[in-house]
Amino acid sequence: MLKMKDGKAFYLLIILAFALSGCASVRHAIPPDLLSSARVFGMQDIRAFSGIPSDSFKKDFVKLLEEEDNFETGRTYYMLAISEGGDYGAYGAGLLCGWTESGTRPVFKVVTGVSTGALMAPFAFLGSKYDAKLKEIYTKYSTKDIVRIRLPFINSFTSTLPLERLIERYFDIELLKEIATEHKKGRRLYIGTTNLDAERLVIWDMGKIATVASAGDDKALKLFRKIMLASASVPVAFPPVYLNVEANDKRYDEMHVDGGVTRQVFFLYDVLEGFDKALKEKGIDISRIKYAIYVIKNGYIEPLYKEIPDNFLAIAKRTVDTMMKEQSIGDLYQLYVFAKEHNAEFNLAFIPATHVFEPKELLKPFKRQELFNLGFEEAVRGYDWKKTPPGIKKE
């Protein structure tokens, strides 16, 4: 079996994928005008498309706040958004576990995750009782436990069967029942995937799906796992995940890939249009609602100087890394603006530029342990959360 190396071999395989790709499978993609009304695995109102207002999501949030009766007490609602980052997710996992150790980790009302953040989000949502599993996922496994190189290349150069088996092991029906229980208490868990046909982030209400699964619906359990897999499926490197949908009594398919393609970190502000107005109509004074948004960026934000060799693969890798970093900064700015507009506290964590992490293998356990330890130790000491994205002066 070929070994997947970070850097040169990774980009070489991408080139080979284009050169040696086989015939594509026949698809029956859903028409764009039916996207919003399609039923997935027979379920409806379980997702929203970024940039398209969702009545079902808006009504759900309004109902949640209608049921709250303690605005006068000054209670703060804590939100957590976990970014993409691949191997760098070990840092975020360590940060969460160290946060528990410090005794200051709150219970989050809403948790969102994309890409590697999607794999972390359910454990972060359920709390410290799952810290051991979170640590295990991000320090135990290597490349061979996640993917395998496959030939001929069709829609990717790896098979994700090993990752699928891990998802089945960690995201079992008992875990989904716990998510369903918290969902019924008014807490929300959202995972993001990218619908590649639509070029949009798709935001999935995982608590609602878990609730259906916990009632014995095996299709809902499979959908939950497929979404987890899709959110972490880097295009070309990993195969896309197909979801069967129904609209107007016809069946179609959707191609979903890594949520980080469209958003490095996300919240729900662009699907909740009209939310503030709906609250006022219900007589809910939004000024009495306090929020604190925490963002874990599994990666670097500050520029890292590195002399780049004058060759194609090195330049390609550095270019992609830089583009992704800049995209993530833009996503952080959007979250920051949302927080300021709603009088919310903004808190940001990311890997310090003083700690350079460059593994030779894509998933190297001892390097991931090093990153985990870094995040853990910083959190135990009392993490210095940044109050603004880079480039904005501290208030």
Side-chain angles (χ1 to χ4, degrees):
M1 185 178 72
L2 293 175
K3 290 184 179 180
M4 183 182 294
K5 300 289 185 178
D6 186 39
K8 290 186 178 181
F10 178 84
Y11 287 93
L12 177 59
L13 285 171
I14 290 179
I15 295 169
L16 288 173
F18 284 106
L20 303 177
S21 60
C23 297
S25 59
V26 177
R27 293 196 54 207
H28 189 40
I30 187 169
D33 58 316
L34 298 180
L35 275 174
S36 298
S37 60
R39 295 170 60 89
V40 187
F41 280 56
M43 288 176 277
Q44 207 162 16
D45 296 333
I46 58 172
R47 65 179 185 172
F49 288 82
S50 180
I52 301 177
S54 169
D55 284 339
S56 63
F57 274 45
K58 181 177 68 176
K59 290 177 181 178
D60 181 55
F61 266 76
V62 171
K63 182 180 178 181
L64 287 178
L65 291 179
E66 274 189 300
E67 294 173 352
E68 294 285 350
D69 57 3
N70 57 351
F71 295 138
E72 297 293 348
T73 65
R75 174 185 175 186
T76 298
Y77 293 92
Y78 296 96
M79 319 290 181
L80 175 65
I82 313 176
S83 83
E84 50 62 56
D87 247 9
Y88 295 141
Y91 175 80
L95 187 71
L96 283 166
C97 294
W99 202 352
T100 297
E101 189 72 15
S102 73
T104 60
R105 178 174 161 184
V107 175
F108 296 103
K109 182 77 169 177
V110 177
V111 176
T112 74
V114 64
S115 195
T116 196
L119 298 177
M120 299 168 62
F123 301 119
F125 179 75
L126 291 176
S128 59
K129 65 180 290 186
Y130 279 95
D131 281 0
K133 287 191 175 182
L134 187 61
K135 179 181 180 180
E136 182 175 283
I137 288 175
Y138 280 95
T139 60
K140 178 179 178 180
Y141 301 108
S142 59
T143 306
K144 63 181 177 62
D145 301 309
I146 305 298
V147 295
R148 293 174 184 168
I149 303 301
R150 67 178 183 183
L151 291 170
F153 301 132
I154 299 175
N155 54 13
S156 68
F157 59 77
T158 70
S159 164
T160 51
L161 281 175
L163 177 58
E164 291 176 44
R165 299 291 86 82
L166 284 177
I167 288 175
E168 290 176 3
R169 181 190 307 173
Y170 284 98
F171 300 99
D172 58 17
I173 189 61
E174 295 306 316
L175 183 137
L176 266 65
K177 286 180 179 179
E178 291 192 47
I179 292 174
T181 297
E182 295 306 310
H183 181 83
K184 292 174 183 176
K185 294 178 182 178
R187 300 176 61 219
R188 293 295 180 263
L189 170 65
Y190 300 101
I191 299 299
T193 65
T194 294
N195 182 311
L196 209 53
D197 296 315
E199 290 188 325
R200 287 186 183 276
L201 178 76
V202 183
I203 301 171
W204 298 88
D205 187 337
M206 303 301 279
K208 185 174 287 188
I209 297 171
T211 299
V212 177
S214 65
D217 191 320
D218 190 54
K219 288 184 178 180
L221 173 61
K222 290 179 180 179
L223 177 60
F224 190 102
R225 291 169 172 170
K226 273 181 169 285
I227 293 167
M228 300 297 294
L229 177 64
S231 189
S233 293
V234 181
V236 181
F238 296 177
V241 174
Y242 288 99
L243 299 180
N244 295 322
V245 300
E246 297 178 4
N248 290 349
D249 298 322
K250 294 183 179 180
R251 298 190 68 182
Y252 302 94
D253 64 64
E254 293 181 350
M255 180 187 286
H256 288 256
V257 297
D258 193 321
V261 171
T262 45
R263 202 66 64 83
Q264 304 285 297
V265 63
F266 78 93
F267 200 61
L268 289 85
Y269 47 82
D270 60 350
V271 301
L272 294 178
E273 184 176 306
F275 177 62
D276 292 354
K277 180 180 178 182
L279 289 180
K280 290 181 180 179
E281 291 174 350
K282 294 289 185 177
I284 299 174
D285 184 359
I286 195 170
S287 66
R288 289 187 292 161
I289 304 174
K290 296 182 179 180
Y291 304 97
I293 298 177
Y294 287 85
V295 183
I296 296 178
K297 171 67 176 80
N298 291 307
Y300 298 98
I301 289 181
E302 301 163 302
L304 295 176
Y305 183 84
K306 178 183 178 182
E307 182 178 338
I308 307 303
D310 187 17
N311 65 64
F312 174 82
L313 294 175
I315 293 171
K317 181 181 186 303
R318 183 66 164 183
T319 300
V320 171
D321 289 346
T322 302
M323 290 172 62
M324 291 182 66
K325 183 186 293 183
E326 292 303 313
Q327 178 190 339
S328 71
I329 292 174
D331 293 337
L332 291 173
Y333 269 68
Q334 288 185 322
L335 268 172
Y336 177 75
V337 170
F338 170 81
K340 294 298 101 179
E341 288 179 345
H342 291 80
N343 298 316
E345 179 186 334
F346 179 86
N347 304 274
L348 171 65
F350 52 86
I351 301 175
T354 52
H355 186 93
V356 180
F357 174 75
E358 291 186 337
K360 292 182 178 180
E361 184 180 338
L362 190 61
L363 299 173
K364 199 80 168 179
F366 79 87
K367 281 292 186 181
R368 299 173 93 205
Q369 181 71 62
E370 181 183 316
L371 264 183
F372 179 93
N373 292 344
L374 175 67
F376 184 88
E377 291 164 6
E378 287 187 333
V380 168
R381 291 195 300 264
Y383 191 83
D384 181 21
W385 294 90
K386 309 303 181 288
K387 301 301 179 181
T388 65
I392 296 180
K393 293 182 179 180
K394 294 182 179 179
E395 300 176 351

